[in-house]
Each structure stands twice: as C-alpha cells, then as structure tokens.
Amino acid sequence: MIEAFKGENEILFKDKFATKEACMSYLAAYRWKNGFECPHCKGTEESNCTILYHKRCKKCNYIVSATANTLFHKVKFGLEKAFLIIFKMSATTKSISAEQLAKNVGINRKTALLFQQKVRVSMKSSEKYPLKGCVEVDEAFIGEQETGAVGRGAVKKSQIVVAIEKNGGKGTKRMYVKKIENASSEQLKPFFEKHISTDAKVMTDKWSGYFPLKKEFQIDQQKSKPKENFKVMHRGIQQLKSWIRGIHHSVNPDYLQGYLNEFCYRINRSIFKESIFDNLLNRMMLAEPCAKNQIKFVYCN
Ligand SMILES: [Zn+2]
C-alpha cells in the first residue's frame, strides 16, 4: 500500500523523501500497485529477487527495476533531487525557473532544464476531459521581440490559441493553450477537437478562421471590445505572459509548448492541490522515457 504524499508543505516533503531509499520504495509501490507484469514476456508471476526495489520474472528470469522504462530511468543526480523538482513544479503556485532550481537543488542549469522538460512531458493533457459549459477562445502572441530587430524574420514571437472554461462567468475554471503556426482553420480545428466539447457554448471574436468550425461546434462570434467582453480570456492571457516573463524570462520557441502545458496543468488542478504531487509522479511513472532530441516533438503531438 502506498501512503500517498499530500499537501504543499515543503518541510514535510523533504522529511518524507530525504533518502534515495524512501523515493525508490515509493516508486516501487506505484509501479507494482496492481501486481507484477514482466515487460519482457508479460508473465505475471515473480520469483525471489535479492536486489532491492527490483523484481524477477518467474517465467523468463528477467530482472526489472522499479524505475525501468519510466521517466525516472537513469536520473543521475539522485532521486531525492528529482522528487524535490517535481514537488516544486506541482505543489507551488508558480513553479520555478531552471536557474533557480539549479541553485536550490545543487545541480547545473542544463541538467535542471532537461529534467524540467521531461517533467513537462507528463504534464501534457490526457485529452480525456474537453472543456465544457461556457468557453472563450482567442489567439495571442507570446515571447520577446528581439532588441533592435528590424523586419519580420527577426521577431521571436510565437502565436498561440487559448481556450478557457469559465467558472460561473467570473474566473478561469480550466484552460488549454497550444502553439500554432498561424490562425487558420486548419490549425484551429485539431485544437478544438482535442480540447473543447461539441456541447460547449464557445465564444470567439469575429476572426474568419472560426467560420468553418461552426459545423461541428456551437460558436458565437462577437466583436472584441477591450475592457467590455472577453475579460476572463484577457486576464488568462496576461497571467500566462507574466508567468513566462517573470519566472522563466525567455523561452526557446521549440520548447514553448512544454511551458504552456505546465501552466495549464497547474491551473486545471488548482482544486486538487492536495494530491497534485502524487498525480504528477504517477504520470511520470506511466510516461515512456523519451530521448532529449524527441522532447519538443512529444510536446506538440
Ligand atoms: Zn518475463
């Protein structure tokens, strides 16, 4: 049985996961919570294994570690540090930059950034819970204008599409954001299909890219008037922009989707904050390990 870690208290967290053994034992409990299955032959019977946090398959003798084939595989800087990073990226309100993390945890910035990118892989939406009720959709630009840049080629801004499910008309209940190449219907359609229920009452501005989507979705188009309508949307976009600017300063456009996933992941779980660390850890155990050069593609698929 796993005694799940709950809450946002960093002192209690560090106390519980102070050693590699404590982390391994937690991961092993997760890995085999529904019993053993051999990744090699799919056998479900195990025989005696003397290596701690490993199991041996009775049928084929294959030995499997609790972290094999998960995002924790080959974490060289230590599981205690990996756990702390996951805690800071889930249970805190604004997460943390790679620079700050490197200083706090005592690893180099590149290592911190790579591990954060892996954590963001498991923060991707499951696409099982599309937005319902009153939903606002809008596009925006995010990122920095290069200093002294002249002409379009030098601008590092990325275009995004944002969908927000409103909380009784006032605030944000849940949201999804995707980086898009342009605001054409071809780019907007897959985003709608993945993240918005066909029953939802969607409000957008008068942009023509939304016209063809009206066949499938209930879309009401209104002219956008600053400070009058789309208030929840404008606040949501401002929060996202100031999070990126304030915490991360600047973001490589190739990896922007990971940051967008992270921002939405925390927003969408703000009412499940008690179990957010455990949820993320569980997702990391289920996510397949992915090579460094594959990460940016995994984000966007
Ligand atoms: Zn086997």
Side-chain angles (χ1 to χ4, degrees):
M1 267 301 279
I2 314 163
E3 206 202 308
F5 179 81
K6 284 196 159 53
E8 298 160 60
N9 185 323
E10 190 169 326
I11 293 171
L12 291 180
F13 183 87
K14 283 181 172 162
D15 203 37
K16 185 171 167 88
F17 300 111
T19 61
K20 183 190 171 192
E21 287 66 36
C23 301
M24 267 311 253
S25 137
Y26 203 71
L27 293 178
Y30 254 113
R31 170 104 194 206
W32 295 301
K33 65 180 173 196
N34 299 318
F36 171 76
E37 191 192 64
C38 171
H40 192 63
C41 74
K42 303 283 169 210
T44 53
E45 277 187 79
E46 48 178 301
S47 63
N48 262 347
C49 185
T50 48
I51 315 168
L52 215 49
Y53 313 118
H54 286 64
K55 285 188 187 285
R56 182 197 295 270
C57 172
K58 197 173 180 181
K59 204 165 145 198
C60 76
N61 256 335
Y62 188 80
I63 294 176
V64 49
S65 136
T67 57
N69 219 30
T70 73
L71 289 176
F72 289 101
H73 193 51
K74 290 187 180 161
V75 170
K76 291 199 183 78
F77 53 83
L79 282 175
E80 312 92 285
K81 292 180 179 179
F83 269 47
L84 188 58
I85 295 173
I86 298 166
F87 176 80
K88 285 180 180 287
M89 289 178 74
S90 58
T92 61
T93 313
K94 296 201 165 163
S95 185
I96 186 166
S97 69
E99 281 81 6
Q100 196 60 46
L101 203 50
K103 287 180 211 157
N104 281 183
V105 175
I107 53 180
N108 75 50
R109 186 193 164 273
K110 259 191 167 171
T111 308
L113 185 64
L114 179 62
F115 191 71
Q116 282 194 297
Q117 286 169 343
K118 291 185 175 180
V119 176
R120 291 186 189 115
V121 167
S122 32
M123 287 174 153
K124 210 175 123 176
S125 156
S126 68
E127 294 168 22
K128 283 191 227 157
Y129 308 100
L131 305 180
K132 299 181 293 188
C134 290
V135 175
E136 288 185 0
V137 179
D138 200 4
E139 325 90 57
F141 284 91
I142 201 163
E144 302 301 316
Q145 183 116 14
E146 234 169 286
T147 3
V150 183
R152 300 183 68 172
V155 175
K156 284 197 290 184
K157 281 189 179 292
S158 305
Q159 195 166 13
I160 54 171
V161 55
V162 183
I164 294 181
E165 177 180 321
K166 292 202 285 185
N167 193 359
K170 289 196 167 171
T172 299
K173 190 172 180 190
R174 293 188 299 145
M175 74 189 282
Y176 292 113
V177 186
K178 190 176 188 295
K179 186 186 166 201
I180 47 176
E181 297 304 317
N182 54 60
S184 66
S185 312
E186 289 74 29
Q187 293 275 311
L188 296 170
K189 195 173 185 246
F191 176 74
F192 268 68
E193 288 174 339
K194 277 182 185 171
H195 298 303
I196 301 172
S197 160
T198 48
D199 299 334
K201 301 223 175 314
V202 183
M203 194 162 90
T204 69
D205 59 17
K206 296 266 189 189
W207 169 244
S208 62
Y210 297 112
F211 293 166
L213 306 178
K214 284 184 164 178
K215 278 180 243 160
E216 226 182 305
F217 295 90
Q218 304 178 38
I219 302 175
D220 174 22
Q221 292 189 289
Q222 290 183 9
K223 194 170 184 298
S224 174
K225 293 177 198 146
K227 292 185 182 165
E228 270 186 47
N229 54 6
F230 298 103
K231 282 185 193 163
V232 174
M233 173 58 74
H234 293 146
R235 209 179 314 133
I237 292 175
Q238 278 319 315
Q239 279 170 350
L240 171 63
K241 285 183 176 179
S242 54
W243 176 67
I244 290 196
R245 210 181 313 119
I247 303 288
H248 302 289
H249 311 300
S250 72
V251 162
N252 177 344
D254 282 347
Y255 291 89
L256 174 64
Q257 189 61 51
Y259 293 84
L260 303 176
N261 293 351
E262 181 185 344
F263 185 80
C264 295
Y265 177 85
R266 269 191 310 275
I267 296 263
N268 295 349
R269 276 159 200 80
S270 40
I271 55 165
F272 311 111
K273 210 69 185 177
E274 273 284 286
S275 56
I276 193 166
F277 165 78
D278 227 46
N279 174 281
L280 186 53
L281 194 85
N282 198 18
R283 282 168 163 246
M284 290 193 68
M285 288 300 279
L286 295 172
E288 302 244 327
C290 75
K292 198 173 161 182
N293 56 1
Q294 289 302 311
I295 291 175
K296 57 186 175 189
F297 303 111
V298 176
Y299 285 154
C300 301
N301 280 339

